[in-house]
Each structure stands twice: as C-alpha cells, then as structure tokens.
Amino acid sequence: HRTVPRLRRPVARRLAEAPRRRRARGNGDRMTNTITGKIDALMEQVAGACGDLVEHVTIDETEVKPPRGKVCVWVKPPEVAWPYAGAENELSVRLVFVAGSPWAQASALPLLLAAMDRLVASALPVTSAEPVGFTRGDATLAAYQITLNEI
C-alpha cells in the first residue's frame, strides 16, 4: 500500500476585515472556482504521477524545502487565456521541481530527471522543461521549470 504525498496549501491568516457588502454573483466567482478546481486537480495529478519521489506539491513558494532524496514541486500562478468571448478559460501552468540542498547538489540532477520522466509519462500536457535555480535563503538549489499547456 502506497501513500500519496501530502498537498500543501497556504493557511489563511486571520485578519480583521471590514464588513462586506452583498454583491451579485458574477463571472468572477465562477472563474475563481474553475481555476482553483483545475489547480487542485493538477496538484493531485502531479503527486500521483511522480509517486514516492515527491515530498509534496504546493502553491506556496515558502513551503519548498526538499528533504534528502525527495523533490518538492511548486505550482506557480497560472497564465489565463480566453480563446474567444464567452469561452471556458484555458490555463498554462509552470511547475518548478526542486531537489537537493546547498551542500548536496550532485545528487539532485538524477532525482529531478527521474521525477520529470514520471511526469512526462503521465497524461499531463508537458511542453518543455528548462533548468533554473531556486533561491532559498542564501543558497540556490537545483531546479527545473516545466511548462504545461491548456489544463
């Protein structure tokens, strides 16, 4: 029996708010729910596709702290496009796979490549991957930015 890595979402901070006025539900609410639903489904798919190589998938950049032998995946905010008026929105998403630690970068590349192989083998529309550095504190960790089209 295998467990799926945990998904991490930022915790809402409790801030004092002014009372809100009632407003009619418009397309903004529907669009927000649609995009949020697509991102949640994508996070589940990435965690399932990469399996035990991934520690967690998150939308919060501050949660990216890969332990030894694991990859953390950060889902960047999506690009939104509408192909024509009244159409369902299309999202292009970039994932950042991060591995290694400041003192152990040599083992990060094979781990990142193995996780990307699993992602490409899944049904997700992977279009490209490029090496990038992920800055955490004073250190830069090994990372790849992967582009997915039209989720």
Side-chain angles (χ1 to χ4, degrees), residues 2 6 8-9 17-18 27 29 33-34 44 50 74-75 92 99 104 108 122 125 137:
R2 163 184 102 116
R6 293 180 292 156
R8 293 193 182 176
R9 293 179 180 86
E17 293 183 2
N27 285 341
D29 293 333
N33 292 339
T34 302
E44 294 281 347
C50 295
W74 171 40
V75 180
S92 292
S122 72

Side-chain angles (χ1 to χ4, degrees), residues 3 5 23 36 38 45 47 70-71 79 90 95 102 111 118 122 126 131 147:
T3 60
R23 63 183 174 110
T36 302
K38 286 180 178 181
Q45 286 178 310
K70 298 282 186 178
V71 174
E79 294 179 19
E90 294 177 354
L95 308 173
L111 191 60
R118 289 186 184 183
S122 72
V126 177
T147 304

Side-chain angles (χ1 to χ4, degrees), residues 23-87:
R23 63 183 174 110
R25 289 191 68 186
N27 285 341
D29 293 333
R30 185 175 55 90
M31 184 179 79
T32 301
N33 292 339
T34 302
I35 292 174
T36 302
K38 286 180 178 181
I39 296 296
D40 287 345
L42 173 66
M43 291 171 67
E44 294 281 347
Q45 286 178 310
V46 170
C50 295
D52 60 343
L53 291 177
V54 171
E55 171 67 17
H56 62 267
V57 179
T58 183
I59 58 173
D60 185 358
E61 183 179 7
T62 62
E63 294 283 330
V64 178
K65 299 172 184 165
R68 179 173 290 193
K70 298 282 186 178
V71 174
C72 285
V73 180
W74 171 40
V75 180
K76 287 184 158 186
E79 294 179 19
V80 183
W82 292 269
Y84 52 90

